[in-house]
Structure formats: structure tokens, C-alpha cells
Amino acid sequence: MNGKFAPKSKWNAIDWVDVFSQIPTPRALLIGPDHVFSFANDGYLEVVGRDRNQLLGKSVREIFPEFVEQGLTELLDRVYQSSEACTVAAREVNICRQGCEEIFYFDFTYFPMRNITGAVEGILCQGVDVTRAVRAKTELEAEVRERTLELEELHENLRTLNHDLMRVQDEERRRLGLELHDSAGQLLAALKWKLDPLQRELGAERPDLRKLAQDALELLGELSQELRTVSYLLHPRLLDEAGLAIALRAYVEGLKERGGLSVTLEIDPNLQRLSQGIELTIFLTVQESLTNIFRHAKTKSAKVRILYNSRFVKVQILDRGQGIPGFTSLKDPNVKLGVGILGMRERIRQLKGQLDVESGAGGTIVTAVLPIGCVNEDPVLAPKKCA
Ligand SMILES: Nc1ncnc2c1ncn2[C@@H]1O[C@H](COP(=O)(O)OP(=O)(O)OP(=O)(O)O)[C@@H](O)[C@H]1O
Ligand SMILES: [Mg+2]
């Protein structure tokens, strides 16, 4: 169609109106600066809901005044004046058909039609009605948004459930620990109180019975010790009574005495009492990390560091052991973790904190940072007065 490139005689012989009439998608030819319809194919007439007679010889502004405020006539003016084609994708177009405004979406192009001298004579409008595709896409997007919201809600519910379960479990462990220590512990103390004089009274004439009483007392001692350990593991009573620093010192001492692990504790001297939830989470994080070092790190020493300011408490558990095999980062789905680390992470996340693990051939560093301020807002977890 461009006179500069086409062999004139050959193209002039082609009936362009016939060609455009055969094309099923909308086509129209507009002539002059007022964009007067000189041709419209059936596809165009169908979309705009007009007869050919209604369009031909009339300007776009006359037939479609609604196009003015939608900026379409301005677009035509620009193409006519600049002589540059304009392509638009999935553009919303409101067309007034039989008195009713209907919304369509078109991919369309306005091509400037130049004469032999290169001057623009008119515009060829060609478009594809993509209304159904756009609507389907919009509906699909809305559906995806809705499903995503539902999923997020379910996820949040699961989180809440998990949080509640952890609380109930903590409460149950605390209750069991205290019960074992207080009730069963008291009964064992009373039993010892009764066995002691019995053993003393059994004279030399019944060494067999005296030996039995002696054995019973030794078993009783072991049972008491075992009971105290189980009760402590269920819930470190010291934590509630004396706070994190003292409970951790006692725990670390216990580890050393049992010949397990030598742990250096560095606790910020300004550390204050924190909420029950935070203190328990930190204690369990240290406990799990030290247990991991004992079980997996192939080293006999570790360090626990607790830093504190008015907004955050930061806990680090460090070892110079063999590192977690194949570890890259906590986010790496290929790294196989057990309930220990995942449980720690979940507990810390519940308190709006963050758990980070770095591990390599030089050892492992577990870091937990917990905001103090945020938890203060939770009345259940409100911090106690400083010790
Ligand atoms: N300090 C460490 N040094 C070396 N490897 C470690 C260390 N901590 C964890 N690991 C490795 O990371 C894995 C996951 O630890 P995690 O505590 O999640 O599970 P676990 O200790 O195997 O089992 P549990 O669920 O009983 O805690 C461990 O199996 C171990 O291979
Ligand atoms: Mg573990």
C-alpha cells in the first residue's frame, strides 16, 4: 500500500475493498482530518451495532461521540498528524449500541494511509475483539485472588492452632513437672524418712535385712534424682522462679557435671526478666541447640551468648564442631531438618522473632532474635517486673 515501495501498477489492480471485506476481524477506513468513514467491513459493523449506511460519509465524532471522552478521536488525530501508526493492546472501549453503553476490549492499530507523495490521506483501523479473553482473565485473576485469600486464612488458622497447641503443651509440661516434683517428690521424701530409722534400727543380728534396707535407700536416692531430672526436663521450675540467667546457669552446670558438654555462658549483665513466653522460648532454644551439639557436632564445648537491649534480646549458641552436613541456609528445601530446629523456628516466629542458622566445616552458629516490645503488647505474655 505504500507507494514508495510497491510497484504501483500491480497494487492498483487489487480491489482492496474486497480484500478488507473478506477479513472477519473489524476493519474501517477513515478519510481526511475529520476521520470520515469511507469503508467498514461486516466485522466492524457487527461490533459497533450499526448499518453500513449509518456510517459511510459520517465522521467518527458524529457517530460515536462517546469516543471523544475516551481519547479515541484524539488518538486518531495524532496518527493523522504525526503519520505514525499507533498500536494498543486490550484497550477498554465503551460503545453506545441501541442507546446502551457496552464495554468491549480491543487489540487495535490505527495505520496512517499515505498517498504517492507521502501525505496522509486517511487511517486504516483494524482491531481484534479480545473482550472474552480479557473477561476470562479478569475472572480468573479474581478467582486466584479469592483462593489465595482463603489459603492465607487457612494458613493463619493453622498458625493460630499451632500456637495454641504449643501453649497447651507448655502448660501441660509445666503442670506435670510441678506435680512430679511436688507430689511424687514429697512421697519419696516421706519414704526415705521412714526407711532411714528402719535401717539404723536393724542390728547386727539381721545383716540380710539391713542390707535390703540399705539397697532400698540407694534405689530411693536414684529414683529421687531421676524424678528431679524428668521434672526439670518437663519444665525448668527455676525459670519461672528465678528467671532465664539463673535457670541457664543451672542447666549448663548440670550438663558439665554429667560430663556431657562444657559450655561457656556470656549473659548481658543488664538482662532483665522477660515475659514467660520469651524466657521459655529462649531456654528451649538453648536446650535444643546444646542437645544438638552434644548429639551431632562432635565437639565437647560450646558457647551461649545472650545480648539484650530495651527492644530485642539476641541469643547465640556457637560450636566449633563438624557443622550440619550439606547445610546452606534454613530456606534451602534440600537441607533435611528435624523437629528440633523446625520447632525452634516456629516458636520464635510465634513471638515475631527470627531464627537464623549458619553452619559449615568450622562449626555452627544458631542465632535467635526476639523483639521484646511487640510481645509486651500481648497481655498474656506481658513481662514480669525485673527480678
Ligand atoms: N550443632 C550441630 N552440629 C552439627 N550438626 C547439627 C547441629 N545441629 C543440628 N545438626 C544437624 O541438623 C539435623 C537437624 O537437627 P534437628 O535438631 O532439627 O533434628 P535432630 O536433632 O536430628 O532431631 P530432633 O527432632 O530430635 O531434634 C541433625 O540431624 C544434625 O544432622
Ligand atoms: Mg535436635
Side-chain angles (χ1 to χ4, degrees), residues 120-155:
V120 177
E121 293 273 351
I123 295 173
L124 166 66
C125 309
Q126 74 166 39
V128 179
D129 182 357
V130 292
T131 308
R132 280 172 65 184
V134 169
R135 294 225 167 104
K137 185 168 167 256
T138 312
E139 276 167 25
L140 199 67
E141 281 168 357
E143 179 93 352
V144 168
R145 265 199 304 278
E146 203 176 308
R147 292 278 166 274
T148 308
L149 277 178
E150 276 174 22
L151 269 179
E152 276 167 8
E153 207 172 300
L154 280 175
H155 195 225

Side-chain angles (χ1 to χ4, degrees), residues 6 27 58 63 111 117 124 127 145 176 183 319 339 355 369:
R27 291 282 190 288
K58 306 261 176 43
I63 306 287
F111 294 101
T117 67
L124 166 66
R145 265 199 304 278
L176 266 175
S183 311
D319 72 73
V339 176
L355 178 78
V369 178

Side-chain angles (χ1 to χ4, degrees), residues 54 182 209 216 320 324 351:
Q54 288 176 286
D182 293 350
L209 287 183
R320 290 184 185 276
I324 303 176
L351 296 174

